[in-house]
Amino acid sequence: MKTIGLLGGLSWESSKEYYRIINQAVQVRLGGLSSAKIILYSVNFAEIEDLRLQGRWQDVTALLVAAAQSLQAGGADFLLLCTNTMHKMADEIQAGIRIPFLHIADAAAATVKASGLSSIGLLGTRITMEEDFYKGRLTARHGLQVFIPDAADREIVHRVIYDELVRGRIEPASRQEYLRIVSGLAQRGAEGIILGCTEIGLLIKQEDTSLPLFDTTEIHALAAVEYALA
């Protein structure tokens, strides 16, 4: 079994889900008392957010690269960055380490395509929905057509993530707003929805909608299990 490096804390609410999903999947696969070999580096989310809000992306990158290098030095055989938004710096992180980096968008796209879908809605932070590092990768590398909410709904999605989900708050009213937005994306042609923030799966579940949901936290974590046991 390979040792999984988790770069987490972005936020810890989703990082704990990675730990749970990975260990449960390994136990199912191997049985008995089996659990995953994991090294976790959990950053201070407040520090990262302060830098982000100041537009100091180079400093954010330097912190994440240093954390990734610490995981490598600690014995991780490969790395997962337990957040969608900070994959904005995925290329720089991969360039700073020698071990493989499992990109969350690639794992999500593989699952979407395995389901036979070609057009997908994307929910996430404002950065994830609007910038090209994520939705552009889904299109250019994987041939998916990507729909995002309109500007007003993007603000709602973003606000709920930062004001509620990363703080552990699950509000029924926000769930209804998200489901309304999901329905709107379906009407525009989305065959399914990528939950492109690792906390969104805490709010909406597959049983809430008939449209296929692709929870990137679960998908990424299970991809790590497959790689670790390959």
Side-chain angles (χ1 to χ4, degrees):
M1 184 193 304
K2 300 180 184 70
T3 299
I4 303 169
L6 297 180
L7 206 175
L10 299 151
S11 69
W12 71 264
E13 291 285 349
S14 59
S15 299
K16 68 180 182 181
E17 290 300 296
Y18 271 87
Y19 190 80
R20 177 186 63 79
I21 294 165
I22 289 170
N23 277 296
Q24 286 180 345
V26 167
Q27 203 280 326
V28 168
R29 288 279 297 273
L30 300 184
L33 299 177
S34 299
S35 59
K37 295 168 63 178
I38 294 174
I39 302 174
L40 170 64
Y41 189 114
S42 188
V43 301
N44 180 357
F45 192 32
E47 182 179 6
I48 298 291
E49 273 300 286
D50 286 345
L51 293 172
R52 182 188 71 83
L53 291 171
Q54 295 174 53
R56 294 168 58 185
W57 285 107
Q58 286 186 327
D59 293 328
V60 175
T61 302
L63 281 173
L64 295 182
V65 169
Q69 290 170 340
S70 292
L71 286 165
Q72 176 180 268
D77 292 310
F78 64 101
L79 177 69
L80 274 70
L81 178 59
C82 303
T83 168
N84 287 270
T85 300
M86 295 304 161
H87 275 71
K88 178 181 172 75
M89 284 78 74
D91 291 343
E92 290 85 350
I93 293 171
Q94 178 65 91
I97 55 177
R98 298 182 305 277
I99 58 178
F101 179 93
L102 268 59
H103 198 293
I104 195 168
D106 294 342
T111 304
V112 169
K113 292 168 73 174
S115 299
L117 308 186
S118 60
S119 62
I120 199 80
L122 174 64
L123 302 181
T125 64
R126 189 185 304 111
I127 294 169
T128 300
M129 291 185 288
E130 294 178 356
E131 295 191 18
D132 204 47
F133 71 92
Y134 199 99
K135 66 179 190 290
R137 190 180 185 102
L138 293 174
T139 299
R141 292 202 176 202
H142 302 286
L144 296 175
Q145 183 180 14
V146 181
F147 297 92
I148 61 172
D150 63 26
D153 284 345
R154 291 199 299 272
E155 286 302 311
I156 292 171
V157 172
H158 182 87
R159 178 190 59 76
V160 168
I161 291 167
Y162 277 97
D163 291 352
E164 298 173 17
L165 300 182
V166 301
R167 302 171 189 269
R169 289 176 50 201
I170 307 299
E171 301 289 348
S174 296
R175 179 179 296 112
Q176 292 308 310
E177 280 290 85
Y178 266 52
L179 292 174
R180 176 187 62 77
I181 293 167
V182 164
S183 179
L185 291 171
Q187 290 173 15
R188 289 168 53 195
E191 300 170 312
I193 304 292
I194 289 178
L195 307 184
C197 172
T198 50
E199 285 83 19
I200 294 178
L202 302 172
L203 180 66
I204 59 174
K205 309 289 186 182
Q206 187 59 73
E207 56 264 29
D208 296 323
T209 176
S210 59
L211 201 68
L213 300 182
F214 297 91
D215 182 348
T216 50
T217 301
E218 182 175 26
I219 290 168
H220 204 201
L222 293 178
V225 173
E226 291 299 319
Y227 195 89
L229 298 181

